[in-house]
Amino acid sequence: MLRQPFGGAAPGFSRITGLAALGFAATIVLANAIMVPAGLPLTGAEIGEVSAFFGAESDVVAVASALTPAAWLLATLFGAGAVSALRRSEHGRGEAWSLLGFTGLALQNVTFAAVVAIRLALTSTAARDSATTGGLWVLHDALFTLNGTFLALALIGLSVAGLRAGLIRPWHGTLGLASAALLFGSATLTPLVIDHAGPLGLLGLAGWLMWVVWIIAYGVTLIRLNPAP
């Protein structure tokens, strides 16, 4: 069992925020499990495919979108727990890596709120206005891909903070940094990812899957955290 040699979060709070991390991971996986089998178009998809999906699957989009407010709440709670567990150790070194990570989580919440809002708007425009649908879809793809920047910030900040404090294992930190590199690479290549559907999209997908595993591992760490007296 991991111990916290530097003090910090109370055991009850750490446990709650660790459970929030697991809940966040479960929620985003469930939302994708609802949308993807229904035929959610990939980044860079043709407008005809986009119109067909959002015109016919508005109920699916609505159900998946209903899960996302809980996901944002749980992500913020997880970030607060991680910062609480790490800040005393960081303060002694004059560092703020955990705050960088929390900022990344907050920004990805805001960005993905815009993504979900666009998806809901597409269910109204898909059957009536192809020009508006096309513009909304390009904006959706750009925000969706650029969001990798903020996920990378969260991964880098909380991975570095966790490693330097001895809170997380080396493999866990390495996983987080590798995921950050893939997501940031995908975000950097956003114009190519949007214009050329294909292998480039796998960068973001691989990074996202690693991000989910990283979140789960961090949640388990916080749940098992045993603060020093």
Side-chain angles (χ1 to χ4, degrees):
M1 179 178 292
L2 290 173
R3 292 186 61 83
Q4 184 185 15
F6 43 84
F13 184 67
S14 293
R15 193 169 297 115
I16 290 169
T17 58
L19 290 171
L22 300 186
F24 171 68
T27 302
I28 60 177
V29 169
L30 178 58
N32 279 277
I34 293 171
M35 294 276 280
V36 174
L40 177 68
L42 299 176
T43 301
E46 296 295 329
I47 190 60
E49 180 183 352
V50 174
S51 297
F53 173 79
F54 285 97
E57 302 293 347
S58 58
D59 290 343
V60 170
V61 176
V63 171
S65 298
L67 297 172
T68 50
W72 301 325
L73 186 153
L74 293 168
T76 305
L77 188 56
F78 155 65
V83 170
S84 179
L86 294 164
R87 274 306 291 155
R88 185 176 297 181
S89 172
E90 284 193 312
H91 183 71
R93 296 192 302 272
E95 297 176 352
W97 288 104
S98 66
L99 296 181
L100 176 70
F102 186 83
T103 300
L105 285 173
L107 289 172
Q108 75 88 28
N109 278 354
V110 172
T111 305
F112 214 77
V115 169
V116 172
I118 291 171
R119 289 177 178 176
L120 290 172
L122 283 167
T123 62
S124 297
T125 65
R128 299 197 308 267
D129 190 340
S130 60
T132 301
T133 297
L136 285 173
W137 183 247
V138 172
L139 179 60
H140 169 278
D141 283 354
L143 287 171
F144 185 82
T145 308
L146 289 170
N147 188 48
T149 306
F150 307 128
L151 295 179
L153 280 178
L155 287 156
I156 291 170
L158 295 180
S159 293
V160 173
L163 287 170
R164 288 183 62 76
L167 178 66
I168 64 174
R169 307 286 187 185
W171 71 264
H172 188 188
T174 300
L175 176 69
L177 295 175
S179 175
L182 290 173
L183 288 165
F184 186 77
S186 177
T188 302
L189 298 172
T190 294
L192 295 176
V193 173
I194 293 174
D195 291 340
H196 304 282
L200 285 178
L202 296 178
L203 283 176
L205 176 60
W208 185 84
L209 292 172
M210 293 166 68
W211 147 261
V212 173
V213 175
W214 178 89
I215 281 278
I216 292 171
Y218 227 119
V220 172
T221 297
L222 291 175
I223 291 170
R224 299 176 63 194
L225 194 59
N226 183 19

